[in-house]
């Protein structure tokens, strides 16, 4: 009989990738908790929560995060542009996850060997800020086939991380 594996006896290899998430005004406790869980699932090294009046730790976030907020390092900054400049100076490629007229499907973004990536994700109603889009090295989107042109930020983050980490594994970069 095939049984669900418990956390302590799963068959996955733990890996960490040089991927940092930068949240642009993401402030929903449920989304923040989900982003922590997704970041842990895909071996993200760090998360930045940027914007004014962002409350990262809350009871709702903790229920959703299921203790992953204690595993994934995170920082808060009111000024996202400062975080972007810091990451660029540290050699990160800045990818914004947003649909624009010049964005490409995330599945078509080709990583270079050992490239460090910062993925900017935006608050659901506002998306990634215009000035951040302009500061990005590349804007990527998720190809969708329905009527809606957006999805939940945590869901989109999971899809983008899946595509990027899949490429890293297939190309045997990590």
């Amino acid at each position: 009989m095939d049984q669900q594996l418990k956390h302590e006896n799963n068959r996955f290899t733990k890996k960490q990738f040089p991927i940092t998430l930068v949240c642009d005004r993401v402030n929903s406790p449920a989304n923040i908790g989900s982003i922590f869980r997704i970041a842990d699932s895909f071996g993200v090294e760090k998360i930045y929560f940027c914007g004014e009046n962002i409350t990262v730790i809350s009871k709702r976030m903790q229920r959703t995060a299921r203790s992953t907020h204690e595993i994934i390092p995170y920082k808060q900054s009111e000024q996202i542009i400062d975080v972007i400049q810091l990451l660029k100076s540290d050699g990160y490629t800045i990818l914004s996850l947003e649909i624009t007229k010049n964005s490409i499907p995330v599945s078509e973004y080709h990583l270079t060997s050992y490239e460090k990536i910062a993925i900017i994700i935006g608050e659901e109603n506002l998306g990634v800020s215009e000035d951040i889009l302009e500061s990005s090295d590349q804007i990527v989107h998720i190809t969708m086939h329905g009527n809606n042109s957006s999805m939940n930020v945590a869901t989109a983050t999971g899809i983008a991380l899946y595509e990027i980490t899949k490429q890293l594994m297939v190309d045997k970069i990590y």
Side-chain angles (χ1 to χ4, degrees), residues 7-172:
H7 293 291
E8 58 275 358
N9 63 358
N10 73 55
R11 61 179 181 208
F12 302 112
T13 304
K14 184 171 174 49
K15 290 188 182 290
Q16 186 174 62
F17 299 102
I19 300 172
T20 294
L21 292 176
V22 181
C23 303
D24 184 6
R25 301 167 294 171
V26 174
N27 58 11
S28 158
N31 282 333
I32 291 171
S34 293
I35 289 166
F36 272 113
R37 283 182 73 182
I38 290 164
D40 178 56
S41 296
F42 286 103
V44 167
E45 64 185 0
K46 186 179 213 171
I47 305 172
Y48 285 92
F49 294 96
C50 302
E52 296 177 6
N53 302 317
I54 305 293
T55 302
V56 174
I57 304 297
S58 68
K59 288 193 182 295
R60 174 70 170 114
M61 182 285 298
Q62 290 174 321
R63 280 193 307 272
T64 307
R66 297 184 65 185
S67 300
T68 53
H69 64 288
E70 297 171 2
I71 298 167
I72 301 296
Y74 70 93
K75 288 189 175 183
Q76 287 186 253
S77 173
E78 286 192 6
Q79 299 301 318
I80 189 171
I81 198 68
D82 294 343
V83 172
I84 301 300
Q85 289 170 347
L86 173 72
L87 291 168
K88 278 190 173 197
S89 71
D90 198 22
Y92 281 78
T93 299
I94 308 300
L95 300 180
S96 283
L97 184 59
E98 188 67 71
I99 298 172
T100 69
K101 68 178 185 174
N102 296 316
S103 61
I104 64 168
V106 66
S107 60
E108 293 178 14
Y109 180 77
H110 295 289
L111 297 152
T112 60
S113 195
Y114 300 101
E115 180 177 7
K116 296 190 295 187
I117 297 174
I119 303 172
I120 314 301
I121 56 175
E123 192 272 334
E124 289 178 4
N125 294 319
L126 304 172
V128 177
S129 310
E130 283 291 325
D131 55 335
I132 300 308
L133 291 174
E134 291 174 15
S135 299
S136 300
D137 296 305
Q138 182 68 58
I139 302 170
V140 295
H141 66 260
I142 296 165
T143 302
M144 296 186 286
H145 304 286
N147 293 320
N148 195 0
S149 64
S150 69
M151 65 176 68
N152 172 275
V153 65
T155 301
T157 301
I159 293 168
L161 286 170
Y162 173 80
E163 289 290 343
I164 289 168
T165 58
K166 177 176 75 171
Q167 185 184 141
L168 291 171
M169 299 300 290
V170 167
D171 292 347
K172 297 183 179 7

